[in-house]
Every structure is written in structure tokens, then in C-alpha cells.
Amino acid sequence: MLSRGVVGLFAVACGAAVANVYLSQPLLVTMGRDLAMSPALVGSVVTLTHAGYALGLFFLVPLGDVAGRRRLVVAQMLLLVVALAVAAAAPTAVVLLAGMAAVGLLAVVTQTLVAYAASLAPPAERGRVVGLVTSGVVTGILLARTASGLLADLAGWRCVYLASASLTAVLAVILHRVLPRHGDPAPATVRYGQLLRSTLTLFTRERLPRLRALFALLVFAAFSTLWSSIALPLSQAPYFLSHSAIGALGLIGAAGALAAAAAGRLNDRGLSRQTTGAALALLTASWLPLAFTRSSLWALVAGVILLDLAVQAVHVTNQTLIYALHPDAGSRLIGGYMVFYSIGSATGAIAATSLYTAAGWNAVCALGATFSGLALALWALTRHNTPNPTPPGPPQPMTTTPPGEPSGRHP
């Protein structure tokens, strides 16, 4: 059984790693001015970071199913330190962009850690552990912008990456000392190319990962619709809020971490279907108060809390279910699932910012409600075909299929 301290360490490490993907967002103007970058080139800082992250999900995270997880985590963390240092010391735009792409690629250690924690948890407590670890991911994402902006105001944008590199190095040392040496996968004879192909095979043959991946795409499209565009109305009349004030919204959104832990416990009780439906209904309803953002900050706060609670509840449920499907392929399943998360996030961001320019905030809210409503409709159409799994019992031996190959069964 994992101790609370070790689970907490997993959560902190996940939050610190994933935060690196979002640290640049409040710093783009300062970076561009410092390195004489054009607006289009500055925008590519975020694009390359997310592109690197998407590549890492497919090419690096699956290694957790065949390599020693403890060594893999520590190695990725140390390489992430190097990438952060390159970004911090970048003398030119080219070096900065290369460093940020590497930061995104290596920040996927977050998902390696999630799969690692799930593999160490007893089946009956897996949902709780995944929920607690995911709460660290949520907190890291939502607080990254706030911490980055405040630190940059004090000591400049380069200090942000130096501080993150230092924190990551400390965590790598602690993880090396604390993470259990047992629980690694059995030595595998599968080749790297076969490993990647088996990821695609898992999603091709198994219905549950495909369904949960679609939920992720739609839910995180809604999530990104809000968080990629909310600064636009708040920086204009009647609020004219500062960047620091807008960034403080992340503190409110961190309430989603509470939903992550609660959803994990509900999944352990076999209530994944009900949890998903209730969360998606809440997500759809959250856009009603958000539509009144221009006239009431309290409405905005209420909408942010509802939306983040709902998103994290669905996210934890998704990860818990797909990991339980094939624990021996958990890293591949979670990595593949997160690719859809990235697609949804990018879709929401691009659509929301473009739509705001063309039609205003109400159109953005309609877009977010559409993504949310589609996810709820998908759940309603498939709920009878996806019964709740029984609460986990003792682990059952896998059928004699090749390493990482799905058995063709459905939960």
C-alpha cells in the first residue's frame, strides 16, 4: 500500500512537471522583447511546447510499460532540468524555441508518474490514488501562470525557468531516494516499434479507451475554451483587470483538485458511470453563469468552480477506467488517451480566441456549452452499453497474449 507521503510526492512531482508546459504564457511579451522576436515567432513558443508534449505522449510515455519506471522517471526529470536550463539561458530565439520544444517533450514525465502511481496502488484503492495524483496535475496547471507572472515581475522571465529547473532537480533526487524499487514491469522482449504499434492496436480493438478518449477531447476542448480566452473580456471594460489579477483565477480553479480526489473514491465504489454523467451535466450547466461574466465577477467565479470540478471528475474517471482495462499496458493507454486531451485543448484554444474576435464573449460561451453538451449527449447514448465496473478485487492473471497486446475483451 502506498503511504500518503509517497502519494503526495507523486502529486507534487506531477504538478511541477506539467506546470512547465504553461509557464511561458504570461511571459510571451517579455520574451519577445528580450530576444527581438516577431509576434508570430513569439506565438510559436506555446505551439512548440505543446507539440513537444504531444510527441512525448506517444513516443516516451509508452516506455513505462517495458522499462524500469523509477529509473525512467528520474532520467526524464534530469533531462527536463537540462531543457529548462537551455530555455533560461537562451541567447537567441532559435535556442529558446528548441529548448521549449524539449521542455514539452520531457514534461510528459507527468503521465509516466500517473501510470506509475496507478501500478503501485492496490486495485481497490486505485481510483483514490489516481485522483490524489491528478489533483497535483490540476494544481500545477492552474497555478503555473500565476506563479510564473509573479516571479517574472520580481526577477525576470529567465528566473522563472531557472527556478523550475532547480525545483525539478531537487524532486529528481527525492524521487530517486523515495520511489519504491519494486513494481517495475517484467523484462520485455517487445521492440520499440512494436511497443508504439501496440498503443494504436489497444485503441483500435478496445471500445472503452476510444469512448473515454472522445470524452477527453470534448471535455478539454470546453476547458480550453474558457481558459484560453477568459483574459480577453477581463482585460477590457468594465473590469480592466491586470495580468496578476487575471492569473489569480487559477487559485479559484484549483478547487477542481477537490473533485479529482472525490471522483477517485467514487470510482473505487463502482460508480464511474454515474460520476461521468453528473460531471458532464455540471460542465454543461457551468456555461450559464459564465455567460454573465461581463456583468458579474461572482458569476464568473461560480462558473469557473463548476467547470473545473466537472472537468477533473471526468478526467480522473477516464484515467482510472482505462488503466484498469490493461494494467500491463497502463502507460500506453494513458499516453494515448492524453493525445486526445491535447487535441481537445488545442481545438478549444484556437476556436475560442478566433470566435471571440469575430463574435464576442457570448459566442465563446455558446462554443463551450456545445462541446460540453456533445460530451453529455455521448454519455447518454452510450451509458447503457458501458455498465459500471465492479469494485476492484484481487488482481486476476492476464490471458496469454503477447506483451502489450489487447485481449479483445470489453469491461
Side-chain angles (χ1 to χ4, degrees), residues 132-402:
L132 290 171
V133 173
T134 301
S135 70
V137 178
V138 177
T139 304
I141 292 173
L142 293 173
L143 298 187
R145 302 172 184 87
T146 304
S148 177
L150 291 174
L151 193 56
D153 286 341
L154 293 173
W157 72 268
R158 295 180 187 273
C159 182
V160 173
Y161 289 96
L162 287 175
S164 185
S166 300
L167 175 61
T168 304
V170 170
L171 286 170
V173 172
I174 296 174
L175 289 167
H176 177 72
R177 292 177 177 273
V178 173
L179 290 182
R181 297 175 185 272
H182 61 83
D184 283 342
T189 57
V190 63
R191 295 180 179 179
Y192 183 63
Q194 293 174 316
L195 185 72
L196 298 183
R197 285 194 297 273
S198 69
T199 303
L200 299 175
T201 302
L202 285 164
F203 280 83
T204 301
R205 294 186 181 177
E206 298 281 6
R207 181 176 182 272
L208 178 63
R210 294 198 303 272
L211 178 60
R212 290 288 159 173
L214 286 175
F215 282 139
L217 190 154
L218 292 168
V219 163
F220 281 99
F223 181 85
S224 186
T225 294
L226 173 67
W227 288 106
S228 64
S229 61
I230 190 60
L232 300 174
L234 294 182
S235 62
Q236 299 171 355
Y239 300 118
F240 298 108
L241 295 183
S242 66
H243 292 300
S244 297
I246 294 172
L249 276 175
L251 299 173
I252 299 169
L258 301 176
R265 290 192 292 270
L266 290 171
N267 277 280
D268 287 337
R269 293 169 56 190
L271 299 174
S272 59
R273 185 179 63 194
Q274 294 90 329
T275 301
T276 302
L280 292 174
L282 194 65
L283 178 64
T284 305
S286 70
W287 291 98
L288 180 59
L290 288 170
F292 293 92
T293 292
R294 286 193 172 278
S295 58
S296 171
L297 284 177
W298 288 111
L300 170 63
V301 169
V304 165
I305 291 173
L306 292 177
L307 182 139
D308 278 11
L309 286 171
V311 167
Q312 300 313 323
V314 176
H315 188 39
V316 170
T317 301
N318 289 346
Q319 292 186 102
T320 303
L321 290 177
I322 65 172
Y323 184 90
L325 180 63
H326 286 296
D328 64 329
S331 292
R332 278 164 284 174
L333 285 167
I334 288 180
Y337 162 82
M338 289 297 295
V339 170
F340 287 83
Y341 155 98
S342 298
I343 294 171
S345 296
T347 300
I350 294 170
T353 51
S354 301
L355 193 59
Y356 183 85
T357 301
W361 179 248
N362 286 339
V364 171
C365 290
L367 174 67
T370 299
F371 285 134
S372 306
L374 287 173
L376 181 59
L378 178 62
W379 172 83
L381 290 172
T382 60
R383 70 186 190 279
H384 295 303
N385 298 324
T386 52
N388 281 326
T390 56
Q396 300 297 318
M398 293 290 293
T399 55
T400 54
T401 52

